Amino acid sequence: MAQNLTSLEHLIQILEKFPGIGRKTAQRMAFYILQMDSEGIYALAQSIKDVHEKIVHCSVCCNITETDTCPICSDEKRKSSPIIVVEDPIDVMALQKIKEMKYRYHILHGRLSPLDGIGPKDIRIKELFARITENNDIPEIILATNPNVEGEATAVYLHKILKPFEIPVTRIARGLPVGGDLEFSDEITLSESIRGRRAIR
Amino acid sequence: MAQNLTSLEHLIQILEKFPGIGRKTAQRMAFYILQMDSEGIYALAQSIKDVHEKIVHCSVCCNITETDTCPICSDEKRKSSPIIVVEDPIDVMALQKIKEMKYRYHILHGRLSPLDGIGPKDIRIKELFARITENNDIPEIILATNPNVEGEATAVYLHKILKPFEIPVTRIARGLPVGGDLEFSDEITLSESIRGRRAIR
């Protein structure tokens, strides 16, 4: 820009790299930050610092938490319940919105992606293995990695290596989203929704 | 959330207040910040600090700048050119995208809004007055406040109080946006586009 605002431009460039933030939103955010009072700036800075200092990984499920072990793993009601394996902590946040969810989790912190050089050693599979080996109260493992190429590959791999444990391993259902529309669904989802059909009770 | 992540939740709540950022985007941003390395966090914090420390208001046009006077006001080629009056610095950024823009600006830092208690003394009208009084090289004043209720009211008010100076005061054209579609335009815009019609050359 011809306006000699390198500091603002620099902030915009940092914000632009955030997921889901385009140039326009980054600009509006930077202007918002510019107009914040010093109290607001302090709160923002402190909050960023807090997140980095207070949040650790749960030694049981690898989820992010401020107390180890995390509240979900310490929850007596979830003892001996199935373990849902997800890619990221944000997935747990999504699943926790379901009322009466009495499951436990294991967070891989990633997915297998040979193209990006991410193999089994780069995600928390070792920890899942240890957890299954050390505990005999796991009735089922539900693979809830994302239903895309990398998530599927990760699920297939986990299914294979978990076989020796003789614990039932399941995969979350794919099909039409509730409130969805056949007309606007892609053919793979449609085909999955037919293959996964269930008897009407 | 049942996950004991108060620091993360706090950051999400701060980010949610940013313009154009909803809950979901705030969540994704917070997770992104959580995953940043310390170098990235430092760059972000430093950049926020820089913006607050380095940016001042130009003593001529009131635009944000890192040098006073700002590069636009110091630009010899823009001397004796019309002044475009806008509401906010972000509007200048938008206008500066036009190639061969040889205008100067005046930034009001707001708009008249009696409902929010914002009157003429709360925006930079005094500075515009002083600028016009002290300089006799202004051939025209172009009012480019936003074409909404408050922007129109601000333009009408400015037009009235600028009359004594006997400088031509104009308002930016309203009409159909280029690439727009009659079918999807509201009736006020359509009516403005007819009223503002021009001879074809």
Side-chain angles (χ1 to χ4, degrees):
Chain A
M1 63 187 88
Q3 288 181 250
N4 188 17
L5 289 168
T6 41
S7 61
L8 193 73
E9 180 57 33
H10 186 230
L11 180 58
I12 293 171
Q13 278 167 8
I14 290 178
L15 295 172
E16 251 184 319
K17 287 188 199 134
F18 278 63
I21 305 295
R23 174 85 193 169
K24 287 253 165 179
T25 309
Q27 264 185 6
R28 289 170 67 194
M29 288 179 69
F31 275 102
Y32 180 83
I33 289 172
L34 179 60
Q35 276 156 25
M36 272 170 134
D37 55 15
S38 50
E39 208 175 319
I41 289 295
Y42 178 78
L44 174 62
Q46 188 61 40
S47 176
I48 291 172
K49 197 165 147 263
D50 272 2
V51 155
H52 270 257
E53 284 175 2
K54 291 189 182 165
I55 291 181
V56 294
H57 287 162
C58 172
S59 54
V60 178
C61 72
C62 305
N63 197 8
I64 52 170
T65 174
E66 289 186 8
T67 52
D68 190 14
T69 61
C70 78
I72 293 176
C73 289
S74 325
D75 185 353
E76 278 298 316
K77 283 186 225 141
R78 297 182 195 236
K79 233 183 156 181
S80 309
S81 65
I83 291 177
I84 301 181
V85 179
V86 296
E87 294 179 16
D88 294 304
I90 205 165
D91 301 327
V92 177
M93 236 179 229
L95 287 166
Q96 281 290 100
K97 282 186 288 188
I98 307 175
K99 295 267 172 273
E100 312 245 356
M101 262 296 258
K102 291 286 162 278
Y103 296 101
R104 294 177 288 173
Y105 301 94
H106 184 86
I107 292 85
L108 296 171
H109 288 276
R111 59 220 62 80
L112 297 181
S113 178
L115 283 177
D116 302 316
I118 299 170
K121 281 179 190 162
D122 302 310
I123 61 177
R124 307 292 182 92
I125 293 178
K126 193 171 72 253
E127 289 81 351
L128 178 62
F129 242 76
R131 194 172 169 189
I132 300 173
T133 311
E134 288 158 23
N135 297 279
N136 48 14
D137 67 342
I138 305 168
E140 181 184 351
I141 292 171
I142 304 167
L143 302 176
T145 50
N146 287 317
N148 53 31
V149 177
E150 292 164 354
E152 288 299 340
T154 309
V156 168
Y157 177 82
L158 286 176
H159 179 235
K160 203 179 72 184
I161 63 160
L162 292 177
K163 236 174 207 166
F165 290 103
E166 292 183 348
I167 298 170
V169 176
T170 57
R171 180 86 173 105
I172 48 164
R174 277 141 306 173
L176 290 176
V178 177
D181 204 319
L182 256 81
E183 188 182 347
F184 301 117
S185 295
D186 63 287
E187 58 190 67
I188 300 173
T189 302
L190 280 173
S191 135
E192 289 281 354
S193 78
I194 307 261
R195 283 213 294 160
R197 67 192 179 277
R198 290 205 223 160
I200 300 164
R201 281 181 288 186
Chain B
M1 63 188 88
Q3 288 181 251
N4 188 16
L5 289 168
T6 42
S7 60
L8 192 73
E9 180 57 33
H10 186 230
L11 180 58
I12 293 171
Q13 279 167 10
I14 290 178
L15 295 172
E16 252 184 316
K17 288 189 198 132
F18 278 63
I21 305 296
R23 173 85 193 169
K24 287 255 165 178
T25 310
Q27 265 185 7
R28 289 169 68 192
M29 287 179 69
F31 275 101
Y32 180 83
I33 289 173
L34 178 60
Q35 276 156 23
M36 273 170 131
D37 56 15
S38 52
E39 206 176 320
I41 290 294
Y42 179 79
L44 174 61
Q46 188 60 41
S47 175
I48 291 173
K49 196 165 148 262
D50 273 2
V51 155
H52 270 258
E53 283 175 1
K54 291 189 183 163
I55 291 183
V56 294
H57 287 164
C58 172
S59 54
V60 177
C61 71
C62 304
N63 197 6
I64 52 170
T65 175
E66 289 186 8
T67 52
D68 191 15
T69 62
C70 78
I72 293 176
C73 289
S74 325
D75 184 354
E76 279 297 316
K77 282 187 225 141
R78 296 181 195 238
K79 232 183 155 179
S80 311
S81 66
I83 291 177
I84 301 181
V85 178
V86 295
E87 295 179 15
D88 295 304
I90 204 165
D91 301 326
V92 176
M93 235 179 232
L95 288 165
Q96 282 289 102
K97 282 186 289 188
I98 307 175
K99 294 269 173 274
E100 311 245 359
M101 264 294 259
K102 290 285 162 277
Y103 297 101
R104 293 176 289 173
Y105 300 94
H106 184 85
I107 291 85
L108 296 171
H109 288 277
R111 58 219 62 82
L112 297 180
S113 177
L115 283 177
D116 301 317
I118 299 170
K121 280 178 189 161
D122 302 309
I123 60 177
R124 307 292 181 92
I125 292 178
K126 192 169 75 253
E127 289 81 351
L128 178 61
F129 241 77
R131 193 172 170 190
I132 300 173
T133 311
E134 287 158 23
N135 297 280
N136 49 15
D137 68 342
I138 305 168
E140 182 183 351
I141 292 172
I142 303 167
L143 302 177
T145 51
N146 286 318
N148 54 30
V149 177
E150 292 164 353
E152 288 298 341
T154 309
V156 168
Y157 177 83
L158 286 176
H159 179 234
K160 203 179 73 187
I161 62 161
L162 292 178
K163 233 171 209 166
F165 290 103
E166 293 183 345
I167 298 170
V169 176
T170 55
R171 180 85 174 104
I172 48 164
R174 276 141 308 174
L176 290 176
V178 178
D181 204 318
L182 256 80
E183 188 183 345
F184 301 117
S185 295
D186 63 287
E187 56 190 70
I188 302 174
T189 303
L190 280 173
S191 136
E192 290 282 354
S193 79
I194 306 261
R195 283 213 294 160
R197 66 191 180 279
R198 292 206 222 160
I200 300 163
R201 280 181 289 187

